[in-house]
Amino acid sequence: MYVILVYDMGQKRVGKMLKLCRKYMNWIQNSVFEGEMTDVQLNELLYEARRIMKDDEDSLILFKNRDKKWLDKQIVGKERQSTDDFL
């Protein structure tokens, strides 16, 4: 599945969440990630994220779709990191 993840963390936890998300997804902007994931990978990421987060202060939002081809993405301005696949 194709996932877009957005998080808002307390300052002390931002670095840990960034490191965790970069293990599984492409970093496209501050606190925003995207990428293809399996159900197992997503469950692992969510399990680890819950260990970092404080439920009463932090949030994590997921947008999921079965396939990237159904997502229309438009970039205005400079792209932080290209997510194009190179062969």
Side-chain angles (χ1 to χ4, degrees):
M1 84 182 82
Y2 196 76
V3 178
I4 297 173
L5 180 147
V6 180
Y7 65 78
D8 186 17
M9 298 285 149
Q11 188 175 6
K12 293 180 180 180
R13 295 175 297 283
V14 167
K16 289 180 183 179
M17 188 60 72
L18 172 66
K19 186 176 178 181
L20 170 64
C21 292
R22 289 181 91 170
K23 282 177 36 180
Y24 292 93
M25 307 175 82
N26 298 310
W27 184 31
I28 59 170
Q29 199 169 44
N30 293 342
S31 303
V32 181
F33 293 81
E34 70 178 352
E36 292 284 342
M37 300 182 78
T38 64
D39 288 331
V40 171
Q41 289 172 322
L42 181 57
N43 288 333
E44 288 174 356
L45 183 141
L46 291 175
Y47 173 78
E48 292 180 45
R50 286 185 184 108
R51 296 180 71 198
I52 296 169
M53 295 173 63
K54 287 191 175 182
D55 289 339
D56 58 336
E57 295 179 27
D58 303 328
S59 66
L60 186 147
I61 301 169
L62 296 168
F63 300 91
K64 301 185 282 185
N65 203 327
R66 291 179 191 229
D67 197 317
K68 181 180 178 180
K69 70 180 178 183
W70 301 111
L71 176 69
D72 183 26
K73 179 171 118 177
Q74 178 181 1
I75 299 168
V76 178
K78 183 180 179 188
E79 184 175 13
R80 177 178 293 276
Q81 178 178 344
S82 176
T83 57
D84 293 339
D85 295 328
F86 296 104
L87 296 177

